[in-house]
mmCIF file with all atom_site columns, all heavy atoms in Angstrom:
data_model
loop_
_atom_site.group_PDB
_atom_site.id
_atom_site.type_symbol
_atom_site.label_atom_id
_atom_site.label_alt_id
_atom_site.label_comp_id
_atom_site.label_asym_id
_atom_site.label_entity_id
_atom_site.label_seq_id
_atom_site.pdbx_PDB_ins_code
_atom_site.Cartn_x
_atom_site.Cartn_y
_atom_site.Cartn_z
_atom_site.occupancy
_atom_site.B_iso_or_equiv
_atom_site.pdbx_formal_charge
_atom_site.auth_seq_id
_atom_site.auth_comp_id
_atom_site.auth_asym_id
_atom_site.auth_atom_id
_atom_site.pdbx_PDB_model_num
ATOM   1   N N   . SER A 1 136 ? 85.558 101.280 79.811  1.00 0.00 ? 1119 SER A N   1
ATOM   2   C CA  . SER A 1 136 ? 85.071 101.071 81.166  1.00 0.00 ? 1119 SER A CA  1
ATOM   3   C C   . SER A 1 136 ? 85.670 99.619  81.626  1.00 0.00 ? 1119 SER A C   1
ATOM   4   O O   . SER A 1 136 ? 85.884 98.779  80.886  1.00 0.00 ? 1119 SER A O   1
ATOM   5   C CB  . SER A 1 136 ? 83.546 100.869 81.138  1.00 0.00 ? 1119 SER A CB  1
ATOM   6   O OG  . SER A 1 136 ? 83.116 100.366 82.321  1.00 0.00 ? 1119 SER A OG  1
ATOM   7   N N   . ASN A 1 191 ? 85.173 103.237 88.882  1.00 0.00 ? 1174 ASN A N   1
ATOM   8   C CA  . ASN A 1 191 ? 83.809 103.839 89.230  1.00 0.00 ? 1174 ASN A CA  1
ATOM   9   C C   . ASN A 1 191 ? 83.995 105.346 89.455  1.00 0.00 ? 1174 ASN A C   1
ATOM   10  O O   . ASN A 1 191 ? 84.411 105.818 90.657  1.00 0.00 ? 1174 ASN A O   1
ATOM   11  C CB  . ASN A 1 191 ? 83.266 103.187 90.574  1.00 0.00 ? 1174 ASN A CB  1
ATOM   12  C CG  . ASN A 1 191 ? 82.728 101.837 90.200  1.00 0.00 ? 1174 ASN A CG  1
ATOM   13  O OD1 . ASN A 1 191 ? 83.389 101.008 89.762  1.00 0.00 ? 1174 ASN A OD1 1
ATOM   14  N ND2 . ASN A 1 191 ? 81.427 101.550 90.508  1.00 0.00 ? 1174 ASN A ND2 1
ATOM   15  N N   . THR A 1 210 ? 71.018 104.896 89.380  1.00 0.00 ? 1193 THR A N   1
ATOM   16  C CA  . THR A 1 210 ? 71.146 103.693 90.081  1.00 0.00 ? 1193 THR A CA  1
ATOM   17  C C   . THR A 1 210 ? 72.438 103.573 90.807  1.00 0.00 ? 1193 THR A C   1
ATOM   18  O O   . THR A 1 210 ? 72.641 102.599 91.470  1.00 0.00 ? 1193 THR A O   1
ATOM   19  C CB  . THR A 1 210 ? 70.794 102.471 89.211  1.00 0.00 ? 1193 THR A CB  1
ATOM   20  O OG1 . THR A 1 210 ? 71.573 102.608 88.151  1.00 0.00 ? 1193 THR A OG1 1
ATOM   21  C CG2 . THR A 1 210 ? 69.291 102.510 88.858  1.00 0.00 ? 1193 THR A CG2 1
ATOM   22  N N   . ASN A 1 211 ? 73.474 104.414 90.371  1.00 0.00 ? 1194 ASN A N   1
ATOM   23  C CA  . ASN A 1 211 ? 74.846 104.212 90.968  1.00 0.00 ? 1194 ASN A CA  1
ATOM   24  C C   . ASN A 1 211 ? 74.840 104.752 92.450  1.00 0.00 ? 1194 ASN A C   1
ATOM   25  O O   . ASN A 1 211 ? 74.019 105.363 92.843  1.00 0.00 ? 1194 ASN A O   1
ATOM   26  C CB  . ASN A 1 211 ? 75.793 105.088 90.100  1.00 0.00 ? 1194 ASN A CB  1
ATOM   27  C CG  . ASN A 1 211 ? 76.070 104.522 88.756  1.00 0.00 ? 1194 ASN A CG  1
ATOM   28  O OD1 . ASN A 1 211 ? 75.998 105.178 87.742  1.00 0.00 ? 1194 ASN A OD1 1
ATOM   29  N ND2 . ASN A 1 211 ? 76.268 103.221 88.606  1.00 0.00 ? 1194 ASN A ND2 1
ATOM   30  N N   . LEU A 1 212 ? 75.807 104.109 93.111  1.00 0.00 ? 1195 LEU A N   1
ATOM   31  C CA  . LEU A 1 212 ? 75.886 104.252 94.566  1.00 0.00 ? 1195 LEU A CA  1
ATOM   32  C C   . LEU A 1 212 ? 75.973 105.564 95.053  1.00 0.00 ? 1195 LEU A C   1
ATOM   33  O O   . LEU A 1 212 ? 75.137 106.175 95.897  1.00 0.00 ? 1195 LEU A O   1
ATOM   34  C CB  . LEU A 1 212 ? 77.064 103.375 95.099  1.00 0.00 ? 1195 LEU A CB  1
ATOM   35  C CG  . LEU A 1 212 ? 77.100 103.351 96.602  1.00 0.00 ? 1195 LEU A CG  1
ATOM   36  C CD1 . LEU A 1 212 ? 75.833 102.742 97.183  1.00 0.00 ? 1195 LEU A CD1 1
ATOM   37  C CD2 . LEU A 1 212 ? 78.223 102.457 97.078  1.00 0.00 ? 1195 LEU A CD2 1
ATOM   38  N N   . SER A 1 228 ? 69.300 101.139 99.698  1.00 0.00 ? 1211 SER A N   1
ATOM   39  C CA  . SER A 1 228 ? 69.319 99.762  99.800  1.00 0.00 ? 1211 SER A CA  1
ATOM   40  C C   . SER A 1 228 ? 70.638 99.226  99.458  1.00 0.00 ? 1211 SER A C   1
ATOM   41  O O   . SER A 1 228 ? 71.166 99.617  98.470  1.00 0.00 ? 1211 SER A O   1
ATOM   42  C CB  . SER A 1 228 ? 68.326 99.171  98.737  1.00 0.00 ? 1211 SER A CB  1
ATOM   43  O OG  . SER A 1 228 ? 66.989 99.518  99.002  1.00 0.00 ? 1211 SER A OG  1
ATOM   44  N N   . ILE A 1 229 ? 71.284 98.502  100.334 1.00 0.00 ? 1212 ILE A N   1
ATOM   45  C CA  . ILE A 1 229 ? 72.626 97.953  100.071 1.00 0.00 ? 1212 ILE A CA  1
ATOM   46  C C   . ILE A 1 229 ? 72.436 96.625  99.517  1.00 0.00 ? 1212 ILE A C   1
ATOM   47  O O   . ILE A 1 229 ? 71.748 95.704  100.138 1.00 0.00 ? 1212 ILE A O   1
ATOM   48  C CB  . ILE A 1 229 ? 73.502 97.815  101.338 1.00 0.00 ? 1212 ILE A CB  1
ATOM   49  C CG1 . ILE A 1 229 ? 73.786 99.406  101.733 1.00 0.00 ? 1212 ILE A CG1 1
ATOM   50  C CG2 . ILE A 1 229 ? 74.820 97.130  101.088 1.00 0.00 ? 1212 ILE A CG2 1
ATOM   51  C CD1 . ILE A 1 229 ? 74.755 99.442  102.955 1.00 0.00 ? 1212 ILE A CD1 1
ATOM   52  N N   . PHE A 1 230 ? 72.839 96.473  98.297  1.00 0.00 ? 1213 PHE A N   1
ATOM   53  C CA  . PHE A 1 230 ? 72.606 95.109  97.584  1.00 0.00 ? 1213 PHE A CA  1
ATOM   54  C C   . PHE A 1 230 ? 73.510 94.042  97.856  1.00 0.00 ? 1213 PHE A C   1
ATOM   55  O O   . PHE A 1 230 ? 74.595 94.003  97.275  1.00 0.00 ? 1213 PHE A O   1
ATOM   56  C CB  . PHE A 1 230 ? 72.569 95.446  96.067  1.00 0.00 ? 1213 PHE A CB  1
ATOM   57  C CG  . PHE A 1 230 ? 71.553 96.453  95.540  1.00 0.00 ? 1213 PHE A CG  1
ATOM   58  C CD1 . PHE A 1 230 ? 71.906 97.474  94.717  1.00 0.00 ? 1213 PHE A CD1 1
ATOM   59  C CD2 . PHE A 1 230 ? 70.338 96.361  95.936  1.00 0.00 ? 1213 PHE A CD2 1
ATOM   60  C CE1 . PHE A 1 230 ? 71.056 98.460  94.208  1.00 0.00 ? 1213 PHE A CE1 1
ATOM   61  C CE2 . PHE A 1 230 ? 69.556 97.245  95.560  1.00 0.00 ? 1213 PHE A CE2 1
ATOM   62  C CZ  . PHE A 1 230 ? 69.670 98.338  94.722  1.00 0.00 ? 1213 PHE A CZ  1
ATOM   63  N N   . ARG A 1 243 ? 84.389 98.151  95.314  1.00 0.00 ? 1226 ARG A N   1
ATOM   64  C CA  . ARG A 1 243 ? 84.654 98.933  93.910  1.00 0.00 ? 1226 ARG A CA  1
ATOM   65  C C   . ARG A 1 243 ? 85.921 99.805  94.187  1.00 0.00 ? 1226 ARG A C   1
ATOM   66  O O   . ARG A 1 243 ? 86.250 100.167 95.290  1.00 0.00 ? 1226 ARG A O   1
ATOM   67  C CB  . ARG A 1 243 ? 83.474 99.691  93.482  1.00 0.00 ? 1226 ARG A CB  1
ATOM   68  C CG  . ARG A 1 243 ? 82.206 98.874  93.169  1.00 0.00 ? 1226 ARG A CG  1
ATOM   69  C CD  . ARG A 1 243 ? 82.428 98.043  91.920  1.00 0.00 ? 1226 ARG A CD  1
ATOM   70  N NE  . ARG A 1 243 ? 81.154 97.300  91.603  1.00 0.00 ? 1226 ARG A NE  1
ATOM   71  C CZ  . ARG A 1 243 ? 80.799 96.113  92.130  1.00 0.00 ? 1226 ARG A CZ  1
ATOM   72  N NH1 . ARG A 1 243 ? 81.533 95.493  93.149  1.00 0.00 ? 1226 ARG A NH1 1
ATOM   73  N NH2 . ARG A 1 243 ? 79.632 95.605  91.739  1.00 0.00 ? 1226 ARG A NH2 1
ATOM   74  N N   . TYR A 1 245 ? 86.541 103.331 93.582  1.00 0.00 ? 1228 TYR A N   1
ATOM   75  C CA  . TYR A 1 245 ? 85.940 104.621 93.305  1.00 0.00 ? 1228 TYR A CA  1
ATOM   76  C C   . TYR A 1 245 ? 87.084 105.570 92.955  1.00 0.00 ? 1228 TYR A C   1
ATOM   77  O O   . TYR A 1 245 ? 88.009 105.709 93.677  1.00 0.00 ? 1228 TYR A O   1
ATOM   78  C CB  . TYR A 1 245 ? 85.204 105.158 94.453  1.00 0.00 ? 1228 TYR A CB  1
ATOM   79  C CG  . TYR A 1 245 ? 83.920 104.112 94.680  1.00 0.00 ? 1228 TYR A CG  1
ATOM   80  C CD1 . TYR A 1 245 ? 83.979 103.171 95.681  1.00 0.00 ? 1228 TYR A CD1 1
ATOM   81  C CD2 . TYR A 1 245 ? 82.810 104.209 93.980  1.00 0.00 ? 1228 TYR A CD2 1
ATOM   82  C CE1 . TYR A 1 245 ? 82.990 102.170 95.949  1.00 0.00 ? 1228 TYR A CE1 1
ATOM   83  C CE2 . TYR A 1 245 ? 81.812 103.360 94.117  1.00 0.00 ? 1228 TYR A CE2 1
ATOM   84  C CZ  . TYR A 1 245 ? 81.875 102.382 95.079  1.00 0.00 ? 1228 TYR A CZ  1
ATOM   85  O OH  . TYR A 1 245 ? 80.858 101.489 95.251  1.00 0.00 ? 1228 TYR A OH  1
ATOM   86  N N   . ARG A 1 305 ? 72.141 92.390  93.918  1.00 0.00 ? 1288 ARG A N   1
ATOM   87  C CA  . ARG A 1 305 ? 71.606 92.866  92.638  1.00 0.00 ? 1288 ARG A CA  1
ATOM   88  C C   . ARG A 1 305 ? 72.058 91.997  91.504  1.00 0.00 ? 1288 ARG A C   1
ATOM   89  O O   . ARG A 1 305 ? 73.121 91.635  91.488  1.00 0.00 ? 1288 ARG A O   1
ATOM   90  C CB  . ARG A 1 305 ? 72.007 94.327  92.408  1.00 0.00 ? 1288 ARG A CB  1
ATOM   91  C CG  . ARG A 1 305 ? 71.523 95.051  91.200  1.00 0.00 ? 1288 ARG A CG  1
ATOM   92  C CD  . ARG A 1 305 ? 71.786 96.559  91.137  1.00 0.00 ? 1288 ARG A CD  1
ATOM   93  N NE  . ARG A 1 305 ? 73.222 96.845  90.850  1.00 0.00 ? 1288 ARG A NE  1
ATOM   94  C CZ  . ARG A 1 305 ? 73.688 97.990  90.845  1.00 0.00 ? 1288 ARG A CZ  1
ATOM   95  N NH1 . ARG A 1 305 ? 72.918 99.110  90.841  1.00 0.00 ? 1288 ARG A NH1 1
ATOM   96  N NH2 . ARG A 1 305 ? 75.048 98.121  90.671  1.00 0.00 ? 1288 ARG A NH2 1
ATOM   97  N N   . ASP A 1 308 ? 75.618 91.868  89.524  1.00 0.00 ? 1291 ASP A N   1
ATOM   98  C CA  . ASP A 1 308 ? 76.639 92.546  90.327  1.00 0.00 ? 1291 ASP A CA  1
ATOM   99  C C   . ASP A 1 308 ? 77.669 91.458  90.578  1.00 0.00 ? 1291 ASP A C   1
ATOM   100 O O   . ASP A 1 308 ? 77.551 90.243  90.749  1.00 0.00 ? 1291 ASP A O   1
ATOM   101 C CB  . ASP A 1 308 ? 76.125 93.086  91.531  1.00 0.00 ? 1291 ASP A CB  1
ATOM   102 C CG  . ASP A 1 308 ? 75.756 94.446  91.529  1.00 0.00 ? 1291 ASP A CG  1
ATOM   103 O OD1 . ASP A 1 308 ? 75.959 95.012  90.600  1.00 0.00 ? 1291 ASP A OD1 1
ATOM   104 O OD2 . ASP A 1 308 ? 75.305 95.027  92.602  1.00 0.00 ? 1291 ASP A OD2 1
HETATM 105 C C1  . UD1 B 2 .   ? 77.939 100.371 87.339  1.00 0.00 ? 489  UD1 B C1  1
HETATM 106 C C2  . UD1 B 2 .   ? 77.729 99.766  86.053  1.00 0.00 ? 489  UD1 B C2  1
HETATM 107 C C3  . UD1 B 2 .   ? 79.006 99.909  85.183  1.00 0.00 ? 489  UD1 B C3  1
HETATM 108 C C4  . UD1 B 2 .   ? 79.425 101.170 85.073  1.00 0.00 ? 489  UD1 B C4  1
HETATM 109 C C5  . UD1 B 2 .   ? 79.686 101.877 86.373  1.00 0.00 ? 489  UD1 B C5  1
HETATM 110 C C6  . UD1 B 2 .   ? 79.967 103.320 86.272  1.00 0.00 ? 489  UD1 B C6  1
HETATM 111 C C7  . UD1 B 2 .   ? 76.066 98.061  86.678  1.00 0.00 ? 489  UD1 B C7  1
HETATM 112 C C8  . UD1 B 2 .   ? 75.766 96.500  86.669  1.00 0.00 ? 489  UD1 B C8  1
HETATM 113 N N1  . UD1 B 2 .   ? 77.287 98.318  86.217  1.00 0.00 ? 489  UD1 B N1  1
HETATM 114 O O1  . UD1 B 2 .   ? 78.897 99.684  87.976  1.00 0.00 ? 489  UD1 B O1  1
HETATM 115 O O2  . UD1 B 2 .   ? 78.715 99.309  83.905  1.00 0.00 ? 489  UD1 B O2  1
HETATM 116 O O3  . UD1 B 2 .   ? 80.655 101.353 84.354  1.00 0.00 ? 489  UD1 B O3  1
HETATM 117 O O4  . UD1 B 2 .   ? 78.421 101.762 87.144  1.00 0.00 ? 489  UD1 B O4  1
HETATM 118 O O5  . UD1 B 2 .   ? 80.222 103.882 87.570  1.00 0.00 ? 489  UD1 B O5  1
HETATM 119 O O6  . UD1 B 2 .   ? 75.282 98.782  86.883  1.00 0.00 ? 489  UD1 B O6  1
HETATM 120 N N2  . UD1 B 2 .   ? 75.008 99.641  95.373  1.00 0.00 ? 489  UD1 B N2  1
HETATM 121 C C9  . UD1 B 2 .   ? 74.142 99.417  96.438  1.00 0.00 ? 489  UD1 B C9  1
HETATM 122 N N3  . UD1 B 2 .   ? 72.970 100.148 96.517  1.00 0.00 ? 489  UD1 B N3  1
HETATM 123 C C10 . UD1 B 2 .   ? 72.679 100.993 95.385  1.00 0.00 ? 489  UD1 B C10 1
HETATM 124 C C11 . UD1 B 2 .   ? 73.473 101.183 94.403  1.00 0.00 ? 489  UD1 B C11 1
HETATM 125 C C12 . UD1 B 2 .   ? 74.674 100.414 94.293  1.00 0.00 ? 489  UD1 B C12 1
HETATM 126 O O7  . UD1 B 2 .   ? 74.437 98.635  97.359  1.00 0.00 ? 489  UD1 B O7  1
HETATM 127 O O8  . UD1 B 2 .   ? 71.597 101.686 95.546  1.00 0.00 ? 489  UD1 B O8  1
HETATM 128 C C13 . UD1 B 2 .   ? 76.223 98.765  95.269  1.00 0.00 ? 489  UD1 B C13 1
HETATM 129 C C14 . UD1 B 2 .   ? 76.418 97.838  94.235  1.00 0.00 ? 489  UD1 B C14 1
HETATM 130 O O9  . UD1 B 2 .   ? 75.874 96.599  94.465  1.00 0.00 ? 489  UD1 B O9  1
HETATM 131 C C15 . UD1 B 2 .   ? 77.947 97.806  93.970  1.00 0.00 ? 489  UD1 B C15 1
HETATM 132 C C16 . UD1 B 2 .   ? 78.408 99.212  94.402  1.00 0.00 ? 489  UD1 B C16 1
HETATM 133 O O10 . UD1 B 2 .   ? 77.307 99.673  95.208  1.00 0.00 ? 489  UD1 B O10 1
HETATM 134 O O11 . UD1 B 2 .   ? 78.496 96.907  94.896  1.00 0.00 ? 489  UD1 B O11 1
HETATM 135 C C17 . UD1 B 2 .   ? 78.594 100.151 93.281  1.00 0.00 ? 489  UD1 B C17 1
HETATM 136 O O12 . UD1 B 2 .   ? 77.359 100.166 92.337  1.00 0.00 ? 489  UD1 B O12 1
HETATM 137 P P1  . UD1 B 2 .   ? 77.210 101.111 91.134  1.00 0.00 ? 489  UD1 B P1  1
HETATM 138 O O13 . UD1 B 2 .   ? 77.531 102.539 91.631  1.00 0.00 ? 489  UD1 B O13 1
HETATM 139 O O14 . UD1 B 2 .   ? 75.919 100.839 90.583  1.00 0.00 ? 489  UD1 B O14 1
HETATM 140 O O15 . UD1 B 2 .   ? 78.440 100.722 90.160  1.00 0.00 ? 489  UD1 B O15 1
HETATM 141 P P2  . UD1 B 2 .   ? 78.835 99.374  89.503  1.00 0.00 ? 489  UD1 B P2  1
HETATM 142 O O16 . UD1 B 2 .   ? 77.528 98.405  89.669  1.00 0.00 ? 489  UD1 B O16 1
HETATM 143 O O17 . UD1 B 2 .   ? 80.053 98.907  90.049  1.00 0.00 ? 489  UD1 B O17 1
#
Side-chain angles (χ1 to χ4, degrees):
S1119 165
N1174 288 53
T1193 52
N1194 288 131
L1195 182 60
S1211 298
I1212 295 185
F1213 301 133
R1226 296 291 183 276
Y1228 298 96
R1288 182 171 67 179
D1291 264 359

